[in-house]
Amino acid sequence: MPLLGPADPLPHVPRRILVAGNAGSGKSTLCLRIAHQHDLRRVELDSLYWGPQWTPRPEFLDEVAAFAREDHWVTEYQYKAARPALLARADTVVWLDHRFPVVMGRLVSRTIRRRAAGVELWNGNRESSLWSAFTDPGHILRWGWKSYRRNRVRVLALVDDVVVVRLRGQRQVERWLSGPLASVGEERAR
């Protein structure tokens, strides 16, 4: 299947959409916008995965499998163990392929904002301090830095299996939302 860009028409009305990209690329935000625009069920995978005190929840994969079996949804393409169940049912992958400085800038900004405001993320968890990025190998900033290239390779490998829409930068995101995705929404409404 071809790799689509922000202006390319979609070959079908998307019903099950995965949003791929690096940490900080805007996956959750785009999922929320798509869900609102097309009345799709949205589940944030982090909310299923993380239990109190940043411990993985044992029911995560069962909940992901149940969600994937539904007919209409949008979620993030993340968590190695969850990807196969989601990809088996997805009909469209939207790839946020933003430049590395953009992604890291967003990730640092988001981390600082959440930490300063004491935002509760999932099940009582809060963002780690920025300074722990130097001591914690699992810190979100280190994760974002290390996983950037792997994410690109992972998504490019999907092109033969599913429709992949590649969006490079926020202008392309806006163009796609108001163009090809809005057009198929109009078809759905008819």
Side-chain angles (χ1 to χ4, degrees):
M1 291 179 209
L3 185 63
L4 301 179
D8 294 326
L10 292 165
H12 58 265
V13 176
R15 297 176 349 145
R16 292 176 300 278
I17 303 171
L18 291 171
V19 177
N22 206 63
S25 64
K27 294 183 303 292
S28 298
T29 300
L30 184 56
C31 284
L32 190 59
R33 291 182 69 186
I34 292 169
H36 285 304
Q37 186 174 341
H38 289 278
D39 196 28
L40 298 175
R41 178 156 184 247
R42 174 190 167 260
V43 168
E44 191 171 3
L45 291 184
D46 284 331
S47 71
L48 299 181
Y49 185 80
W50 292 113
Q53 299 177 349
W54 296 106
T55 56
R57 295 176 60 247
E59 55 271 75
F60 172 66
L61 289 178
D62 291 336
E63 292 174 353
V64 168
F67 172 72
R69 286 191 296 270
E70 294 180 19
D71 287 332
H72 301 89
W73 48 257
V74 59
T75 194
E76 303 90 356
Y77 185 60
Q78 57 188 25
Y79 293 105
K80 183 177 183 177
R83 285 188 199 117
L86 293 167
L87 189 58
R89 296 275 297 143
D91 57 38
T92 307
V93 173
V94 180
W95 177 22
L96 296 175
D97 185 24
H98 302 320
R99 294 178 317 121
F100 183 74
V102 170
V103 170
M104 287 309 295
R106 285 180 174 185
L107 189 57
V108 168
S109 174
R110 180 186 82 184
T111 302
I112 291 170
R113 192 174 52 252
R114 285 178 174 176
R115 179 70 180 177
V119 173
E120 181 179 323
L121 299 173
W122 311 279
N123 298 308
N125 297 309
R126 299 191 189 289
E127 200 73 65
S128 302
S129 77
L130 218 53
W131 298 112
S132 65
F134 297 109
T135 59
D136 178 5
H139 192 281
I140 189 67
L141 296 180
R142 288 174 80 165
W143 175 256
W145 184 279
K146 290 188 307 189
S147 62
Y148 185 78
R149 289 183 191 197
R150 281 187 307 221
N151 282 324
R152 294 175 60 100
V153 170
R154 181 181 301 119
V155 177
L156 282 170
L158 302 177
V159 173
D160 292 334
D161 301 324
V162 67
V163 171
V164 177
V165 179
R166 183 182 195 184
L167 305 175
R168 304 191 79 188
Q170 196 59 38
R171 282 189 189 148
Q172 289 191 4
V173 170
E174 299 305 327
R175 184 176 183 189
W176 183 74
L177 284 168
S178 64
L181 189 61
S183 296
V184 295
E186 293 165 6
E187 290 175 26
R188 181 183 289 169
R190 288 183 201 149

